[in-house]
Amino acid sequence: EVAEEAADDAAAAAWPEQAADAPLVDIVAQLTARTDGAIVEPTLINLGHTLRRQRRYDDALHCYRAAQLLRPASAHTLASMAFTHHLRGELDTAIDLYHAALSLRPDDTFA
């Protein structure tokens, strides 16, 4: 059992280096395959924010959609998707997503 835990720790420590060379789709698939959605969902959101700041809007939306599958009723995820569509000039989609976010959390000052 101790050897098994050590192997898990070694794999976890090596994962960031392996992920750096992997395509985004593979990284998201690896993250969503993990069982702890409470950890994975915010990780995907943060990755999406980073990609959005780099103006990699398609990749950011891919991360947000994956996070939304783990937690469909997240106003934060919907607002993040809305903002990304807004930046892309897709205003109708952005407005729909902002409204969806506000319907879940009316006090959200970002949405």
Side-chain angles (χ1 to χ4, degrees):
E1 191 172 309
V2 173
E4 192 174 299
E5 286 180 23
D8 288 345
D9 289 345
W15 190 81
E17 290 176 13
Q18 295 167 356
D21 295 328
L24 179 67
V25 174
D26 292 345
I27 294 169
V28 171
Q30 288 178 23
L31 285 171
T32 54
R34 297 176 185 264
T35 58
D36 192 353
I39 294 171
V40 174
E41 187 258 347
T43 302
L44 288 166
I45 294 295
N46 288 330
L47 179 57
H49 292 338
T50 299
L51 293 166
R52 188 192 68 232
R53 287 183 190 111
Q54 295 173 350
R55 293 185 173 90
R56 293 175 55 187
Y57 301 132
D58 289 340
D59 291 338
L61 287 169
H62 182 76
C63 291
Y64 296 143
R65 287 185 193 110
Q68 187 181 28
L69 290 173
L70 295 171
R71 196 166 148 217
S74 170
H76 180 74
T77 302
L78 290 169
S80 297
M81 291 170 68
F83 185 54
T84 304
H85 282 286
H86 191 154
L87 292 171
R88 288 169 52 144
E90 299 166 350
L91 300 183
D92 289 339
T93 302
I95 290 168
D96 290 343
L97 288 165
Y98 283 131
H99 285 167
L102 285 168
S103 73
L104 293 172
R105 194 167 157 206
D107 63 335
D108 190 336
T109 56
F110 179 73

